[in-house]
Amino acid sequence: MNTDFLKACQGEKTSRTPIWIMRQAGRYLPDYHKVRSKMTFLELCKTPEKAAEVTLQPVDILGVDAAILFSDILVVLEAMGMKLEFQEKKGPVLPEPITCRADVDRLQVPDAEDELGYVMATIRILRQELADKVPLIGFCGAPFTLATYMIEGGSSKAFFNTKKMMYSAPELYKAMMDKVTDFTINYLKAQAAAGAQALQIFDSWAGALAPIDFGEFALPYVKRIIAALKDSTVPLIYFANNGATLLEQSRTSGADVLGMDWRISLADAARIVGPDISLQGNLDPCALLLPEDKLEKRVAAILAEGKEARGHIFNLGHGILPETPPEKAKFVVECVHRLSS
Ligand code: 1CP
């Protein structure tokens, strides 16, 4: 098996810099559309053979050094009893958002194997199919990022209702976060037990928080999750999108790897996080639209900066855009391998 990704997570030497791409399975791939056209997004997530099939697509097409489970951070909320829909064009909708104590009390903290057994079934299929290829990454949403969907009822830009609850009803907010955190711990342990070999916590909207609020309303729950999984030997990656200003705090999360968006240089990030944490990132997803010669120069610059870190896993600074030509993603993978070996 190609273990470069797992080695880089732990800061061990690798033959070349490993790369995977956030949202590498999905809408930019014609092969994904072919499978997806026959069912809804949630049906795809809940059909282990098909979810495994689309997970494997980028491994075969792009040659990345890790697979990431095909699922979504929001299935956790459905498992906790919230209604969840994915509407074409609009994205996720939670028609009954959390507004009061009764809503929080109604949230369930079930056993992940019972409510999300289809995820663990997908992981088990994938470990069989990936046996001699690359490691499998499992994932979850960070509690704060999940909270934004729970309270706003879908995607948001300003997170007004979330902040309003944080500031005007902190007890309610924290009771909700405790439940989400407890279930997430149970869920990640189940993913690791089923065979996930690394786990990434996606905090997509952490960058919307002032440092003081990040320290009170987001990071403590991430720390609790990571502490609860420390015995599992599975490396943990924490990705706080738009989080360069939060890095002094994120470095205390306990994660083995911190994911970086493109708004900070990896050399600066390495100086802040120090010698005990590996870095992942951080090419701007839009840079995949550059012509190849310019794109290659960007890749080379990031590889050079990544040398400053304990370990470096190449990735984009956020998810790959649906508009990206797959050949460009393949070109980046090839560049990373060629330039780093
Ligand atoms: O129509 C479709 O086919 C659905 C599009 C889609 C896909 C392919 C959604 C809806 N989710 C996914 C898969 C997915 N989501 C993966 C697995 C694929 C892979 O990485 O290879 C992962 C890891 C996620 C995680 C996810 N979902 C995040 C965190 C990562 C990030 O990009 O910040 C978030 C915020 C979501 C919520 C979500 N799911 C889907 C949409 C449209 C959204 C909303 C995003 C937003 O609010 O802007």
Side-chain angles (χ1 to χ4, degrees):
M1 184 171 69
N2 169 354
T3 55
D4 282 343
F5 165 73
L6 292 174
K7 284 185 182 150
C9 287
Q10 311 285 18
E12 292 165 25
K13 269 215 166 353
T14 56
S15 51
R16 53 190 195 179
T17 302
I19 170 171
W20 68 278
I21 296 177
M22 285 192 277
R23 311 292 289 263
Q24 65 189 13
R27 289 174 297 176
Y28 73 105
L29 283 181
D31 310 69
Y32 171 77
H33 283 288
K34 221 181 262 172
V35 178
R36 171 73 171 78
S37 65
K38 301 196 179 78
M39 58 188 90
T40 68
F41 174 66
L42 268 180
E43 280 166 356
L44 176 52
C45 291
K46 292 176 185 180
T47 310
E49 296 73 27
K50 289 291 165 192
E53 180 183 334
V54 294
T55 300
L56 295 172
Q57 285 174 352
V59 177
D60 298 331
I61 296 169
L62 306 180
V64 286
D65 297 290
I68 179 159
L69 166 74
F70 188 84
S71 181
D72 197 85
I73 62 167
L74 302 177
V75 296
V76 157
L77 305 182
E78 193 182 51
M80 294 183 77
M82 294 188 76
K83 287 206 179 86
L84 171 67
E85 298 159 15
F86 284 91
Q87 295 178 1
E88 299 298 329
K89 300 215 163 76
K90 194 159 177 232
V93 175
L94 294 110
E96 293 169 10
I98 305 288
T99 60
C100 62
R101 171 60 66 172
D103 293 339
V104 172
D105 288 344
R106 257 197 305 277
L107 284 174
Q108 290 149 30
V109 184
D111 186 45
E113 274 287 356
D114 293 340
E115 288 301 320
L116 295 172
Y118 59 86
V119 174
M120 272 50 85
T122 305
I123 291 175
R124 289 188 195 99
I125 294 173
L126 281 166
R127 278 305 303 277
Q128 293 227 310
E129 303 206 351
L130 282 167
D132 57 343
K133 285 188 183 163
V134 295
L136 176 65
I137 305 169
F139 70 89
C140 67
F144 169 71
T145 286
L146 292 176
T148 66
Y149 291 96
M150 298 170 86
I151 300 168
E152 308 290 339
S155 301
S156 174
K157 288 217 165 74
F159 308 102
F160 175 76
N161 293 309
T162 309
K163 291 184 182 182
K164 186 175 160 197
M165 188 189 287
M166 275 166 29
Y167 296 147
S168 64
E171 250 83 275
L172 184 63
Y173 175 86
K174 286 175 184 176
M176 184 188 83
M177 291 291 273
D178 280 335
K179 282 189 157 181
V180 173
T181 303
D182 288 344
F183 183 53
T184 299
I185 289 169
N186 178 282
Y187 180 43
L188 289 186
K189 283 185 173 171
Q191 288 191 36
Q197 290 152 292
L199 295 165
Q200 173 152 323
I201 302 170
F202 283 94
D203 216 344
S204 306
W205 314 127
L209 291 172
I212 190 170
D213 290 326
F214 179 69
E216 178 171 356
F217 295 106
L219 185 62
Y221 304 95
V222 173
K223 282 186 175 173
R224 243 177 73 200
I225 294 169
I226 293 173
L229 278 129
K230 266 295 165 192
D231 293 341
S232 71
T233 73
V234 172
L236 286 145
I237 306 168
Y238 176 52
F239 171 62
N241 181 37
N242 211 343
T245 50
L246 307 169
L247 209 44
E248 285 285 356
Q249 295 187 73
S250 296
R251 68 189 282 267
T252 69
S253 67
D256 304 282
V257 183
L258 290 176
M260 292 294 125
D261 65 79
W262 63 91
R263 299 167 186 90
I264 183 171
S265 86
L266 286 187
D268 287 344
R271 264 193 295 281
I272 297 171
V273 305
D276 300 324
I277 296 172
S278 300
L279 294 180
Q280 175 174 281
N282 68 341
L283 183 68
D284 183 339
C286 287
L288 268 69
L289 305 173
L290 284 167
E292 288 192 354
D293 55 335
K294 293 208 165 94
L295 180 52
E296 178 160 339
K297 286 203 178 96
R298 296 260 183 140
V299 170
I302 288 172
L303 286 170
E305 288 177 354
K307 289 209 176 80
E308 307 290 320
R310 175 184 82 157
H312 178 212
I313 299 143
F314 200 101
N315 206 316
L316 304 185
H318 200 182
I320 190 167
L321 299 165
E323 295 80 4
T324 311
E327 315 80 66
K328 277 292 181 55
K330 193 171 174 189
F331 177 74
V332 168
V333 173
E334 183 267 313
C335 274
V336 168
H337 286 158
R338 174 166 44 80
L339 297 174
S340 67
S341 52

